[in-house]
Amino acid sequence: MNVDNMEKPKFYITTAIAYTSQVPHIGNTYEAILADCIARWKRLAGYDVYLLTGTDEHGIKIQKQAEAAGITPQEHVDRISGELRRIWDRCGVSYDGFIRTTDPAHVETVQKIFRRLYDQGDVYLSEYVGNYCTPCESFYTDAQLVDGKCPDCGRPVEKASEKAYFFRLSKYADRLLALFEENTDFVQPPERRNEMINNFIKPGLKDFCISRSSVKWGVPVDFDPENVVYVWVDALINYISALGYSVDRTGPLYDKYWPADVHIIGKDIIRFHTIYWPALLMALDVPLPKKVFGHGWLLIGGEKMSKSKHNAVYADQLIDWFGADAVRYYCLSEMPFAADGVLTYEMLAEKYNSDLANILGNLVNRTVAMTKKYFGGTVPAPGEYVGPDRELIAACSAAAADFAAAMDSYHVADASAAVLALLRRANKYIDETAPWVLAKSEEGRARLATVLYALLESIRFAAVLFTPFMPETCGKIFAELGTEAGDYASLAAFGGLVPGGTVGEPVPLFARLDTEAVLKGIEEENARALQPEVPEFQPEITIDDFAGIDLRAAKVLACEPVKKSDKLLRLELDVGREKRQVVSGIAKWYKPEDLTGKTVVLVANLKPARLRGVESQGMILAADNAEDDVRVVFLPDDVRPGSRLR
Ligand code: MSP
C-alpha cells in the first residue's frame, strides 16, 4: 500500500490553559514550548497531531483585576488572551486549536455537563463552609490561609457558609485507585503517581464543591444562575469542548482525536488532572486521557517567579536578546524530566555560545564553506566508507534511535543531548579527517568527497532531529544543504542527501554573543523597567482651553481627617478673596500637620463634589510620583494666597 494513503495514527496533546489574570511569564511559556516540541516530534514521526492550547478566563481574581483597572472582565481577558497568543506565536508554538473559556460554545458545554451531572445525581446541592474574607468576597480553605488570614489581602477571615453544589467524588474513589494501579504510567513522572495515591486517594476522597455564589465572573449554572461553575471544572472541560464534545453530540474532531494521548501540565496541578478530571469523565461516561505529564517548574536563579520579587522573566525579552530558537532550545534542553530547572541570563548566554554558536553553528558553517571551496558548492558523491566515517554513520543512527526513545517517553532534554552528541562527534570527525590536508593532493580529493558528504549528511540528520526544538534554524540548515526538510523516516538509512545538489550560501546561524555586553544590556533594561511608567501626554489643547482652568495659590489654614475614612483629609484654605473647603484623598501620604501653614495649588473653578458627605470646593494639585506614592505641590511660603498660576 502507498504510505501516503495509509491512515496516519492520531496524537492529541494539550497544554494547561493559563490564567488570564496576568501576561504569561517564561514558566507558563515553557509549557507551551514543551508541548509544541512533542507535537512537532510526533508530526515528524508520521502522526496526525492536534495540539490544543488556550486561556482560562473566569474567576474572582480576574473579576477584581478588571474592577481595579476600571474595565470589564471581558476586556481584561481579551487583552491577556491576545497577548498570550501573540507570545505563543512568537515562540513558534504550532497549535491546531486555541480555546478560550469565554467562547460561547465552551460556556454552553460547561452548562450542559453541569446539568447532566446534576440530573443523574452526581452533583447535589449542599452547604459549603469555609473561611470568608469580606473585602475580597472570597472563600478560602484552611490550607490556603496565610497565618490564619486572607492570602490575598492579609485581613482576618471569618467562618461562613453558602449554598453550593457538590460533585460526588467519593463515589469514584475505587475506580480512581484502580486507574492508578492498573495503568501504572498514567501519571508521569512516576514519583507524582505515588504522591497522588498516598496523599489523596488512600486517605479518602471527599466530595468537592463545584459552584460558587460569591463569584460573578464565571459560567452561570443555567438552572440556578445565582451560582457560577467552579473555575477548575469550567477549565478542565476545555479539553473536550474544544473538540466539539457537548454531552448530547460530539463532532468530527472529538471523534477523531479524543481521548487525549497526553495532557502536558505543571506539577502543581496534577491533582486536578489525575483525580478530579478522570472522575468527571467517568461520570460522563467519556474515555479517560491516556497520560498526564506533570513537568517541573522553571525557576529564575533557583527561585519561584513572582511579581512582588520583581524576578519574573518574559519570553519577549529573552527572544529580543537571543532569538526564539535559542530560548526554545535552552528551556527544552535545560529542564530535567522530573525535577525543577533553572534559568539565568548568564546560563542562557553561555549555552547559546557553547552549544549553538560553537558546536552547531560552527559545524554547519565550516562544512558548507568547505563544500563551496573544494567542490564549487556541489554535494559530492561519497566513495567507500572507512573507519572514522563508519563511526560517524553509527553516531547518526544512534542519535536517531536515542532521540526517538527519549522523546516518546518525554525525556526531552535527553533527546536534545542525543543530537548534541552527534554534533560533537561530527566536529571531532573534521579534526580527525583534516579536510584541508586532503584538499592538497590529487589522491586526497577522492577521500575529501567522502568526508564532506558524510559531514553534510550528518548535519541533515541533526537538522531533522532538531526540527521540533528549533524549527526556524533547521529550516535555514536545510536551505544551506540545498535539500527539502526531511521527516524521521528519512533517517532510516544514511545517505538521504542526494549527491549533485547545490548547497546554499553559508550564513552564520548563531553569531557568537559578547556575553558581558549582553548581560549588561539586560541589567540596564531591567532597571529601566522597574521605573514607573511615565504616562502618555494628553491630547493637545489651545491656550484658551488652558485659560479656562483657574489655578490659585491657597494657604492651608487647617486640616483634619474626614470621619470614617482612612483616605481623605479635609483642608480649609485661604484663597485671598474667600475661604474654601477641599477634600483630598492624600491621607495615606500626609498627616494634617504636614499641610497646615503650607501654600498649595487649588483648581478653583472645579465644580464642587461631595466626598463621604463632605463638600469639596475644588481640588489641590499633587503628582503621581510612583505607583502608590503621591506628592502634593507646594508653593514658596511668600506666594500671596489667591494669586493666579499661569
Ligand atoms: N488555569 C490553570 C490551568 C487550568 S488547566 C485546565 C493554571 N493556570 S496557570 O496560568 O497558573 O498555569 C498554567 C501552566 O503553567 C500550569 O501548567 C502551571 O503548572 C505552569 N507553570 C506556572 N508557572 C510555571 C513555572 N515557573 N515553570 C513551569 N511551569 C509553570 O494553573
Side-chain angles (χ1 to χ4, degrees):
M1 196 202 274
N2 183 334
V3 174
D4 290 339
N5 293 337
M6 271 170 34
E7 185 131 340
K8 287 180 172 182
K10 71 91 189 170
F11 192 80
Y12 179 33
I13 173 168
T14 65
T15 68
I17 48 173
Y19 288 126
T20 38
S21 40
Q22 283 166 15
V23 178
H25 53 53
I26 188 67
N28 313 121
T29 311
Y30 154 67
E31 181 174 297
I33 293 173
L34 172 65
D36 177 68
C37 180
I38 298 167
R40 285 179 187 265
W41 154 242
K42 285 301 201 183
R43 289 190 200 111
L44 202 66
Y47 284 74
D48 173 348
V49 174
Y50 196 91
L51 168 61
L52 178 72
T53 189
T55 40
D56 187 353
E57 307 192 353
H58 289 128
I60 186 83
K61 221 170 173 179
I62 289 161
Q63 185 183 317
K64 285 191 188 309
Q65 267 168 339
E67 268 163 26
I71 53 175
T72 65
Q74 189 64 52
E75 284 169 333
H76 180 78
V77 296
D78 284 350
R79 184 177 83 78
I80 306 278
S81 179
E83 273 291 277
L84 180 140
R85 204 168 166 148
R86 183 189 61 73
I87 295 167
W88 272 208
D89 289 341
R90 209 176 165 207
C91 292
V93 179
S94 58
Y95 50 84
D96 301 283
F98 190 99
I99 177 137
R100 301 181 53 186
T101 55
T102 52
D103 289 342
H106 170 81
V107 169
E108 191 199 319
T109 299
V110 171
Q111 289 179 322
K112 278 162 71 174
I113 288 177
F114 198 97
R115 179 186 280 270
R116 160 63 62 92
L117 296 176
Y118 180 72
D119 288 347
Q120 71 189 31
D122 276 305
V123 164
Y124 59 90
L125 194 57
S126 181
E127 189 106 278
Y128 177 81
V129 183
N131 305 292
Y132 191 71
C133 172
T134 313
C136 292
E137 296 170 33
S138 298
F139 275 101
Y140 301 96
T141 61
D142 289 345
Q144 285 173 317
L145 299 181
V146 177
D147 300 330
K149 299 212 170 102
C150 171
D152 283 334
C153 75
R155 278 180 268 212
V157 291
E158 52 195 62
K159 285 271 177 236
S161 65
E162 65 174 26
K163 186 191 79 157
Y165 292 89
F166 281 72
F167 175 72
R168 240 178 256 289
L169 183 63
S170 52
K171 180 175 150 190
Y172 296 94
D174 292 345
R175 283 177 67 188
L176 285 168
L177 187 58
L179 164 70
F180 278 83
E181 285 184 342
E182 284 157 22
N183 187 352
T184 46
D185 56 4
F186 174 60
V187 188
Q188 287 295 321
E191 44 270 53
R192 316 257 201 256
R193 167 178 176 263
N194 303 336
E195 221 174 278
M196 290 300 122
I197 299 179
N198 298 331
N199 298 354
F200 298 104
I201 302 183
K202 291 216 164 137
L205 290 175
K206 290 198 194 68
D207 295 352
F208 77 104
C209 177
I210 62 164
S211 72
R212 298 285 186 271
S213 64
S214 49
V215 180
K216 295 284 159 282
W217 181 242
V219 177
V221 175
D222 57 357
F223 55 88
D224 191 356
E226 288 294 287
N227 298 276
V228 303
V229 178
Y230 175 41
V231 68
W232 263 105
V233 171
D234 169 6
L236 288 163
I237 290 171
N238 92 85
Y239 300 128
I240 49 176
S241 72
L243 297 183
Y245 170 92
S246 197
V247 183
D248 49 0
R249 63 186 147 80
T250 55
L253 282 178
Y254 176 87
D255 295 341
K256 180 169 186 186
Y257 291 108
W258 189 259
D261 292 272
V262 62
H263 289 315
I264 304 287
I265 55 160
K267 63 179 185 180
D268 54 320
I269 55 174
I270 294 184
R271 180 165 52 110
F272 292 96
H273 284 80
T274 61
I275 296 178
Y276 294 175
W277 179 226
L280 285 165
L281 291 171
M282 285 170 187
L284 290 168
D285 205 17
V286 164
L288 305 187
K290 293 187 196 155
K291 209 180 283 293
V292 174
F293 177 58
H295 59 75
W297 282 62
L298 181 58
L299 305 173
I300 299 300
E303 289 194 55
K304 252 178 116 165
M305 267 174 269
S306 95
K307 224 179 167 189
S308 56
K309 275 194 237 148
H310 296 296
N311 68 344
V313 171
Y314 297 90
D316 276 330
Q317 182 191 33
L318 298 178
I319 294 174
D320 288 345
W321 285 96
F322 301 97
D325 275 0
V327 174
R328 288 173 65 101
Y329 174 73
Y330 182 89
C331 293
L332 295 166
S333 62
E334 269 301 308
M335 285 293 287
F337 174 62
D340 292 337
V342 175
L343 174 97
T344 65
Y345 297 114
E346 289 84 344
M347 285 164 73
L348 175 50
E350 271 165 29
K351 208 168 171 72
Y352 177 105
N353 276 341
S354 65
D355 294 6
L356 301 179
N358 288 0
I359 298 176
L360 173 63
N362 234 346
L363 173 70
V364 176
N365 206 23
R366 284 208 288 173
T367 305
V368 173
M370 287 193 289
T371 309
K372 289 232 159 218
K373 185 166 172 195
Y374 302 134
F375 294 96
T378 303
V379 176
E384 199 193 332
Y385 293 126
V386 295
D389 318 333
R390 295 219 179 103
E391 278 179 35
L392 183 62
I393 294 168
C396 283
S397 53
D402 293 350
F403 183 91
M407 284 305 288
D408 279 336
S409 60
Y410 306 124
H411 288 73
V412 173
D414 294 348
S416 147
V419 188
L420 209 69
L422 169 60
L423 295 171
R424 283 206 175 92
R425 184 65 193 82
N427 274 317
K428 190 170 152 222
Y429 176 84
I430 298 186
D431 297 340
E432 286 168 352
T433 54
W436 49 91
V437 177
L438 295 174
K440 284 187 185 143
S441 68
E442 206 37 54
E443 65 276 22
R445 281 193 63 86
R447 176 83 193 114
L448 182 61
T450 307
V451 166
L452 277 182
Y453 181 84
L455 280 170
L456 290 164
E457 174 66 351
S458 307
I459 291 172
R460 190 184 70 85
F461 262 69
V464 168
L465 297 175
F466 257 161
T467 298
F469 286 69
M470 294 182 282
E472 201 187 319
T473 303
C474 293
K476 286 187 197 157
I477 297 177
F478 289 125
E480 282 200 55
L481 297 179
T483 184
E484 301 265 293
D487 60 9
Y488 187 67
S490 76
L491 307 185
F494 191 86
L497 189 66
V498 184
T502 311
V503 298
E505 282 309 308
V507 281
L509 290 176
F510 294 96
R512 254 195 90 78
L513 296 175
D514 175 347
T515 308
E516 226 171 272
V518 167
L519 296 179
K520 190 159 172 276
I522 294 177
E523 199 180 310
E524 285 167 6
E525 188 174 88
N526 287 347
R528 277 197 302 276
L530 281 179
Q531 300 290 326
E533 214 177 295
V534 178
E536 295 279 333
F537 289 111
Q538 296 289 317
E540 188 179 280
I541 57 170
T542 64
I543 187 87
D544 293 338
D545 294 332
F546 179 69
I549 302 169
D550 197 350
L551 300 177
R552 300 294 178 119
K555 195 171 175 102
V556 183
L557 300 173
C559 181
E560 61 174 15
V562 171
K563 287 193 187 75
K564 290 197 195 137
S565 165
D566 47 11
K567 295 204 177 98
L568 301 177
L569 293 180
R570 190 183 71 83
L571 291 83
E572 272 177 43
L573 303 174
D574 171 5
V575 201
R577 302 177 68 90
E578 60 186 55
K579 300 229 166 31
R580 289 279 186 94
Q581 156 175 302
V582 161
V583 177
S584 182
I586 50 171
K588 190 163 172 194
W589 303 281
Y590 291 90
K591 292 196 230 28
E593 57 269 31
D594 299 332
L595 296 162
T596 311
K598 294 271 173 60
T599 304
V600 296
V601 180
L602 173 74
V603 186
N605 60 342
L606 196 64
K607 191 171 174 215
R610 292 191 85 77
L611 297 169
R612 292 260 163 181
V614 185
E615 185 174 67
S616 183
Q617 301 155 333
M619 179 179 95
I620 65 164
L621 293 191
D624 287 327
N625 187 42
E627 198 184 320
D628 209 24
D629 183 25
V630 167
R631 306 283 171 92
V632 169
V633 178
F634 293 117
L635 292 173
D637 287 341
D638 56 355
V639 174
R640 191 171 42 85
S643 41
R644 240 194 122 172
L645 279 88
R646 289 188 287 150

